[in-house]
Amino acid sequence: MTSLEKYLRELRSSGRKALVPYFVAGVTPDWITYIEAAAHAGADAIEIGIPFSDPMMDGVVIQEAALRALDAGTNLDSISADLSALTASVPLIAMTYYNIFHHYGVERAAGKLQSSGITGAIVPDLPLEEGAEWFAACATHDVASILLVAPSTPNDRVARITSATQGFCYASARMAVTGRSSDGGEGGRVVERIRQTSDIPAYIGIGITSPSQAHDASMAGDGVIVGSVLVQAVLDGASASEIELMVRQFRLAID
Amino acid sequence: MTSLEKYLRELRSSGRKALVPYFVAGVTPDWITYIEAAAHAGADAIEIGIPFSDPMMDGVVIQEAALRALDAGTNLDSISADLSALTASVPLIAMTYYNIFHHYGVERAAGKLQSSGITGAIVPDLPLEEGAEWFAACATHDVASILLVAPSTPNDRVARITSATQGFCYASARMAVTGRSSDGGEGGRVVERIRQTSDIPAYIGIGITSPSQAHDASMAGDGVIVGSVLVQAVLDGASASEIELMVRQFRLAID
Amino acid sequence: MTENEFMSAPNELGHFGSFGGRFVPEALMPACLELETAFVEAWADPTFTAQYQRVLREFAGRPTPVTPLRRLSAQLGIELYAKREDLAHTGSHKINNVIGQTLLTKRMGKRRVIAETGAGQHGVATATACAQMGLECTVYMGEIDTERQALNVFRMELLGATVVPVTSGSRTLKDAVNEAMREWVTCVEDTHYCLGSVMGPHPFPWMVREMQSIIGHEAAAQLNDLGVTTPDVVVACVGGGSNAAGVFAGFANTTARLVGVEAAGGSAVGKGSPGVLHGMRSLLMQDEFGQIEEAYSISAGLDYPGIGPEHAYLADIGRAHYFAISDEEVIGALEVLSLTEGIIPALETAHAVAWILKEVGREIPLGSKVLLNLSGRGDKDVAQVREMLRGQG
Amino acid sequence: MTENEFMSAPNELGHFGSFGGRFVPEALMPACLELETAFVEAWADPTFTAQYQRVLREFAGRPTPVTPLRRLSAQLGIELYAKREDLAHTGSHKINNVIGQTLLTKRMGKRRVIAETGAGQHGVATATACAQMGLECTVYMGEIDTERQALNVFRMELLGATVVPVTSGSRTLKDAVNEAMREWVTCVEDTHYCLGSVMGPHPFPWMVREMQSIIGHEAAAQLNDLGVTTPDVVVACVGGGSNAAGVFAGFANTTARLVGVEAAGGSAVGKGSPGVLHGMRSLLMQDEFGQIEEAYSISAGLDYPGIGPEHAYLADIGRAHYFAISDEEVIGALEVLSLTEGIIPALETAHAVAWILKEVGREIPLGSKVLLNLSGRGDKDVAQVREMLRGQG
Ligand SMILES: Cc1ncc(COP(=O)(O)O)c(C=O)c1O
Ligand SMILES: Cc1ncc(COP(=O)(O)O)c(C=O)c1O
């Protein structure tokens, strides 16, 4: 069991719902301050988006942030360098598209994550069937490979995914890319189907944009992932303390 | 034998080469004065172009004149009316395209020519094969139907054309539409071929633009037809006396 | 080349009834006679017709299919089929005629071709065939049309043709024909005039019809394969009338009703009277003194004040019927065919479509089997249609 | 659908050697699996393949001919043949694939189709097939492309499609694919994503190749009829690689040399390295950190930074060879083919022509029998070429 999973299982045992905010690395020169702020506000783990030119699973908000980060010259090496200045001690999870790791070299990339203090990775365009190499590299470097289950995933696949995912299982709340949201989504039903196959912690994400949505999701799952709404605030020029306030509101809603 | 042919044969017998200037009817309000002027200057017959919208055998100069005449409302009736004011006594020959007569009604059209004092007609797009109706109407009204022979006409056709043409036979000096000219053309050879089949007077036309060309042509044929160069002068605003001067130069050249 | 009761050869003067003939300057008469002889010989020569058919197959994409227009049929309550000349190389039926005439040009030992064009379809087709066969090519095009259809001018130039803007008269198609005839006089020796429709002096109306009759003969066989022995109605648009003549030729001696659809602004049958122009006696739009009127149509290819003499004859004897469609009706028809069948027709063709849409339940009884000759594709017209729809909306 | 040694089916993961696969978000995985099953069943069902072939024949004008390019052959000293996809309905090979996929859409009981498009060729083809079959259609197109290709946008709209300008990223083809994938996630239930080339996640590269292989199979038989048992070289341009894959499929297990010609500015084989994009592992143009680079080519259809995975594999094992042609070489080739053969090719196709012109006597020995896949017609490009030639003076 990876360190991340151990940590998150203990968190669940303690009765605490996990809050996982998401930020795009490099979106501003001082993006690290958002990570610090979120940690301060009670985040249990933080997703760090590594920008990719073609973010197929992301909506306009995260696309825009990724573009800004890329324009600023962000890459795996620069992110690693930036992270060395991080003081908060919170589990970090990388989120990006497979080509970033593939091109960097999977072994080298997993090592880089580890040396940067990142203990988990979400690669939405890398399905179970194609992941063997990456999963092996992650295993070597104590990086949890976190897989997603979608509302459309049939039951037999859910079982295979939950038996392979590490850290937690990402329950996609809706058939959509990041950032879209109006209703509560189907996260609860996805979590139920995950639980029928495994006792891995199940976190709900995709389209959770308000504290009340987060509250509902936390009733169903073991944790919630909150991305676009924070990234939008960053794009709009929010200060680190404003971000801290936002994260704190989500914290309150799920406690 | 039509009156026109009788007249032209007598002219030839008298040893005089025929000069046949061409003008577009209606090109100016006082176009009749050009006819008078040409008659004064020694024209033996005058071709009167009845303007047609699509003058397939005419070059740019005569096209332009026809267009002006049409814009001014010229038609067979108006021409006839204008001609009633003519004082000069010179044979008149209509030159136009078949649709003008066809649409007017061939019988009615030939009658109109006759009543206008016109005794010959050249219809370049009406070949031997299609002319029966028109030729018959002309015969009724003592209008000579004048046919053309082209450099390309084969000998057997020349024979058929010369046996049908009345008044004179029009020897086309070149394979071209009216108005074009640089060399002397092939008029002489065409006349020779006409003479091998008939003793009808043979006049050379198409592209005769200078007195010296007219002189050469008159050496070969029994007469010359001069069109575009006069029409151009009219378009350029020449006065009747200027036209008279021009025609006189042609007269001198062929005498 | 079977002997038909209807649409057989004209008489030796090129007459279809009282229409047709050869009203050309004497200078062109030998060329017309030479052409007639050459055509008659070639058309009877299996080597020539095989070559013609081979080039059409290998180069031009024949046979073009007959497409059952199933969705539109269901909507209209008829059985509608389209003969797809839009799929022929260069985008319309024009190529059939042009390939026949350029092959004939080579057979006659001439090295050069001239042609007239309106919108440029026939010009592009001629330039295309000349490029393929290595013939020199000059195309006469009204100056106004060269401006309106600048891209087609460029297309012809890419294909190696010289495009000469005609500045006389109305500077459109009618004048381009005049000019091509004038020029032909000067170069008949080594140059063939490749006329673009079933018009002009004999043998053109007959020859072009024969060279287009492959449309009708193919369609008849293809309909038969689709279970339609004889269609009830055969419909084609009519400018000069070559696509109509071509498709009619396959059905002239059946019970099929033959319908030609003219543009209201170029309706020689509807508004014309007998007259002589461009070497033929036919129906023409003309004023009280026999001056030829300007045609006006939304579709450049129907923008002609006359009609081929054989059509005048077929109208006269009642074997074919001609109707006119106004510009306003055309755009809607183009939209309907595009939307329901995935085929954007040429504006010319859209006249025939419009007539069908309008006449189902009237001239076309419900349940009829109808063959539409889809004479060309609309790509050339899309910019124009866009402007017009913008103007409306 | 015979089993070939080369160009047989990929393995169950959709791998061609180390390329291909199915790199999609979990949400799309079931749709890809469903599509694979549906395709495998349909493709083995004679009723389906007969229907596919019937629509291609009746509606799209297949078979397209093979044209011997006699004049150019004589000039070059080779035997050159062209497979005429330019004569297919909508003007390129794109229709073959689209008809297969839209029929499959109906068979899967879906009512709607989405597609990406660059210049608009695949979009127009998709809109066309949807109109013909009565399917709803939405096309994603980079905002910049909607401006550059406004007429194609209008064409799609005439055909009833909704065109959505994509404003993300570089606002061109690559982003249109991203956006179509994003949208597909939200509507997989009732919507099929009709990908336009042999790219994307399994089964697309395989399925599209199969649906384009009719090109190669027809061509092989037609060449045989022309006395060419096996060509020495088969040449096609490569954007995603669908027309190349289609024609290669007919010759993969012969001695023919297979040549794909990329645009120098979109040369995934020449300048790319293995990577993962748009659901596939293939060769991609990317920077040192794996960010995908913008392609740039004079021809919108080759303006793609990747290549289909099967091509990456064929390059890898040396069964096919890929070369790049610069923008400058393309215009000249377009002019040569237009002038000598009367066929104005698409700018995409002109890359393949340019390679032939350049390599005769080098990569192509004199006397070789060469098959050019003439993937599309140049009408769509004529305005652009005109501007460029004017720019040159
Ligand atoms: C597509 C199409 N249809 C019809 C016509 C009209 O010609 P015709 O009446 O000779 O068939 C044209 C002429 O350009 C055309 O392009
Ligand atoms: C005519 C033509 N050829 C080639 C291509 C490139 O696509 P592919 O490589 O999939 O054949 C396109 C794409 O739009 C095209 O329009």
Side-chain angles (χ1 to χ4, degrees), chain D residues 2-9 252-253 310 313-314 317 319:
Chain D
T2 50
E3 210 51 41
N4 290 331
E5 189 182 349
F6 293 108
M7 300 192 83
S8 50
N253 295 297
E310 189 168 20
Y313 174 64
L314 291 172
I317 61 173
R319 178 62 193 96

Side-chain angles (χ1 to χ4, degrees), chain C residues 10-38:
Chain C
N11 74 8
E12 67 285 359
L13 293 175
H15 289 181
F16 301 94
S18 67
F19 299 102
R22 186 142 47 192
F23 293 84
V24 291
E26 181 55 31
L28 290 181
M29 190 54 88
C32 290
L33 292 166
E34 176 200 6
L35 180 62
E36 183 188 348
T37 307

Side-chain angles (χ1 to χ4, degrees), chain A residues 16-245:
Chain A
R16 177 173 165 109
K17 297 293 182 175
L19 176 63
V20 185
Y22 167 99
F23 297 95
V24 173
V27 61
T28 63
D30 57 352
W31 65 277
I32 285 289
T33 62
Y34 299 121
I35 312 296
E36 305 273 13
H40 259 225
D44 298 298
I46 297 177
E47 258 188 63
I48 294 182
I50 303 173
F52 178 51
S53 53
D54 293 82
M56 193 168 73
M57 257 303 278
D58 286 304
V60 284
V61 173
I62 294 179
Q63 285 172 40
E64 169 65 19
L67 214 67
R68 280 206 208 171
L70 286 176
D71 284 347
T74 307
N75 58 53
L76 200 45
D77 294 342
S78 73
I79 293 168
S80 178
D82 289 352
L83 282 177
S84 67
L86 189 73
T87 59
S89 123
V90 60
L92 301 179
I93 296 163
M95 145 93 196
T96 193
Y97 293 84
Y98 189 47
N99 200 50
I100 296 295
F101 297 148
H102 181 274
H103 192 76
Y104 203 85
V106 288
E107 180 58 34
R108 201 177 143 229
K112 192 78 185 178
L113 295 187
Q114 184 175 36
S115 70
S116 311
I118 293 173
T119 54
I122 303 171
V123 188
D125 64 341
L126 182 68
L128 202 55
E129 290 83 352
E130 298 287 352
E133 260 188 274
W134 172 246
F135 299 156
C138 284
T140 311
H141 295 281
D142 191 27
V143 173
S145 6
I146 299 161
L147 300 180
L148 285 92
V149 169
S152 60
T153 309
N155 287 334
D156 58 329
R157 259 187 95 74
V158 173
R160 286 193 287 134
I161 290 169
T162 54
S163 76
T165 190
Q166 298 173 326
F168 63 88
C169 183
Y170 195 133
S172 174
R174 41 178 62 78
M175 294 296 286
V177 296
T178 59
R180 314 202 171 192
S181 144
S182 51
D183 53 30
E186 314 173 55
R189 251 162 296 153
V190 176
V191 166
E192 246 168 65
R193 289 167 62 222
I194 290 171
R195 290 205 173 130
Q196 273 159 24
T197 65
S198 162
D199 74 336
I200 188 103
Y203 293 7
I204 297 176
I206 309 278
I208 297 196
T209 40
S210 69
S212 88
Q213 283 174 324
H215 170 79
D216 293 348
S218 72
M219 294 286 89
D222 303 312
V224 298
I225 299 151
V226 180
S228 296
V229 65
L230 299 172
V231 174
Q232 182 68 63
V234 168
L235 288 177
D236 292 346
S239 65
S241 53
E242 284 169 313
I243 293 296
E244 189 172 332
L245 197 67

Side-chain angles (χ1 to χ4, degrees), chain D residues 200-223:
Chain D
H202 181 58
F204 284 105
W206 173 42
M207 178 174 76
V208 176
R209 179 251 279 170
E210 284 294 297
M211 288 172 172
Q212 291 290 6
S213 66
I214 193 164
I215 301 174
H217 295 308
E218 279 180 10
Q222 289 164 320
L223 280 178

Side-chain angles (χ1 to χ4, degrees), chain B residues 51-60 63 67 70 74-77 98-100 102-104 124-130 148-150 152-154 157 161 174-177 180, chain C residues 13 15 20-30 33 168-169 174-175 178-179 181-183 185-188 273-279 281 284 286-292:
Chain B
F52 178 51
S53 53
D54 294 82
M56 193 167 76
M57 258 303 278
D58 286 303
V60 284
Q63 284 171 42
L67 214 66
L70 286 176
T74 307
N75 57 55
L76 200 44
D77 294 343
Y98 189 44
N99 199 51
I100 296 294
H102 181 274
H103 192 76
Y104 203 85
D125 64 341
L126 183 68
L128 202 55
E129 291 82 353
E130 298 287 351
L148 285 92
V149 168
S152 60
T153 309
R157 256 189 98 73
I161 291 169
R174 40 179 63 79
M175 294 296 286
V177 295
R180 313 201 171 195
Chain C
L13 293 175
H15 289 181
R22 186 142 47 192
F23 293 84
V24 291
E26 181 55 31
L28 290 181
M29 190 54 88
L33 292 166
S168 63
K174 180 170 75 72
D175 310 283
N178 290 333
E179 197 61 23
M181 293 253 181
R182 288 180 191 121
E183 291 299 325
V185 173
T186 70
C187 59
V188 274
S273 55
V276 173
L277 180 71
H278 294 155
R281 183 175 191 276
L284 305 173
Q286 48 189 327
D287 72 10
E288 56 175 317
F289 291 102
Q291 307 296 347
I292 307 305

